[in-house]
Amino acid sequence: MSEAAEAAPARADCVADSAGGLTFHIADWTLPAPGGHDDWSGALVLIRRGGRDAPDGEVRLPLGPTADGRLQAALPSTVALPEGRWDVHVAHRDAEPQRLAPGLNDLRSLVDRRPGPSTSPLSVRIPYATKHGNLSLRSWRRAPHAEAGEIRLEGDRMTVRGRLYRVAYPSEWLAGAVVEARCRGGEVPVRTAPLEVEGPDFSCTLSYADLARTWSGGADVWDLRLRPADRTAAPARLARILDDVADKKEIFTYPPRTVAGPHGEALARPYYTRDNDLAVRIEALA
């Protein structure tokens, strides 16, 4: 065996279930001596990027043998995994964790996922390969959650359709609710628009021209969320997380529209942030 092959990291296959859980199968890593195949001191170690030293910055999942000779670890949806990016490692006892490489992913259950009724936080975990060829997870944990669906662009307006999850009575929560656009890092007034509601489903229309009225001349980013009529209730961030795409920013792209602002013409377009939240960006013409 070559030195390159010996140095190659172990790979993990991931299987997702419709509840938001993940199962990891590791085929090419063996427990160091004196550990054997029935030694349960091995662990799959999840380390939150930028937060390992926090109380909830590391999660260890026991590794156990399977009938086909592999090692397996389960991350059920009931295990609270805080939002963020988690790097996936494998470790034996007190040894320093080693990074895992991505194997085969079976994420079919995540495509067009429709969570059942519940008020508990919605757990979403999507495995992905980093630019360095390592295995990581993107995790979300939200309640309530407004899942963005179809986005339709007509002239200087955008219409978003979506569905509300993780509230006891979605239609009651949505009654009188508005979509709220809030510009980052400024004193600009919040913009709101009414919703059209049918059960847990909603649609809303935003005017780029309205958002551009206070355009700063640089790059303004407007974050979108649903605000219920009951101001004591938590708002729901508009996002798209119920599928198998970990990073949508470069994949789901929309054409810009030209709008008039106080500093001349600007370009406006919706986009998904690094957290897959929906936002509108208004910036100068290139």
Side-chain angles (χ1 to χ4, degrees):
M1 181 180 295
S2 67
E3 291 184 4
E6 290 178 354
R11 295 183 176 273
D13 299 335
C14 299
V15 180
D17 62 50
S18 59
L22 286 174
T23 302
F24 301 84
H25 299 279
I26 304 172
D28 48 3
W29 185 77
T30 56
L31 292 169
H37 191 64
D38 58 351
D39 184 341
W40 285 72
S41 56
L44 189 88
V45 184
L46 307 177
I47 299 176
R48 184 151 57 94
R49 203 171 296 173
R52 182 177 186 178
D53 295 332
D56 56 359
E58 180 176 310
V59 174
R60 298 179 75 92
L61 305 171
L63 279 170
T66 62
D68 61 2
R70 297 188 293 177
L71 292 169
Q72 174 179 296
L75 174 65
S77 61
T78 52
V79 172
L81 196 66
E83 287 206 17
R85 295 179 186 270
W86 294 76
D87 295 327
V88 185
H89 303 70
V90 69
H92 179 248
R93 295 181 180 167
D94 297 328
E96 184 68 19
Q98 304 171 14
R99 288 301 300 269
L100 281 170
L104 299 177
N105 290 336
D106 183 353
L107 307 181
R108 289 172 293 178
S109 64
L110 299 183
V111 179
D112 296 325
R113 181 182 167 199
R114 289 292 185 94
S118 173
T119 58
S120 62
L122 178 66
S123 293
V124 177
R125 294 83 176 261
I126 304 178
Y128 68 95
T130 71
K131 64 182 179 181
H132 299 297
N134 296 313
L135 177 62
S136 292
L137 299 180
R138 183 64 178 90
S139 173
W140 292 267
R141 185 172 172 82
R142 297 191 174 181
H145 167 61
E147 178 73 3
E150 177 190 21
I151 297 177
R152 181 175 299 174
L153 307 179
E154 296 180 356
D156 68 348
R157 294 176 178 271
M158 59 173 282
T159 298
V160 183
R161 300 183 184 277
R163 172 169 287 199
L164 181 68
Y165 293 98
R166 291 319 197 235
V167 298
Y169 304 102
S171 59
E172 293 182 12
W173 192 99
L174 289 168
V178 296
V179 59
E180 182 179 274
R182 186 180 296 270
C183 192
R184 293 183 192 171
E187 301 296 328
V188 177
V190 172
R191 306 277 196 264
T192 62
L195 301 180
E196 293 185 9
V197 178
E198 184 176 348
D201 298 322
F202 63 87
S203 66
C204 55
T205 300
L206 286 169
S207 166
Y208 293 150
D210 188 30
L211 299 182
R213 284 192 293 110
T214 51
W215 175 48
S216 66
D220 289 352
V221 175
W222 294 79
D223 294 314
L224 308 181
R225 60 183 183 176
L226 302 189
R227 169 71 71 177
D230 178 3
R231 291 299 189 261
T232 65
R237 188 74 168 87
L238 259 173
R240 186 165 182 169
I241 58 178
L242 293 176
D243 57 25
D244 61 343
V245 181
D247 293 293
K248 296 181 174 62
K249 187 173 182 179
E250 305 301 329
I251 296 175
F252 290 80
T253 59
Y254 302 91
R257 295 287 192 267
T258 302
V259 293
H263 300 279
E265 290 189 326
L267 292 179
R269 66 178 178 90
Y271 79 101
Y272 286 103
T273 70
R274 291 186 68 254
D275 293 325
N276 289 358
D277 294 326
L278 184 59
V280 176
R281 184 180 180 90
I282 299 178
E283 59 189 346
L285 296 173

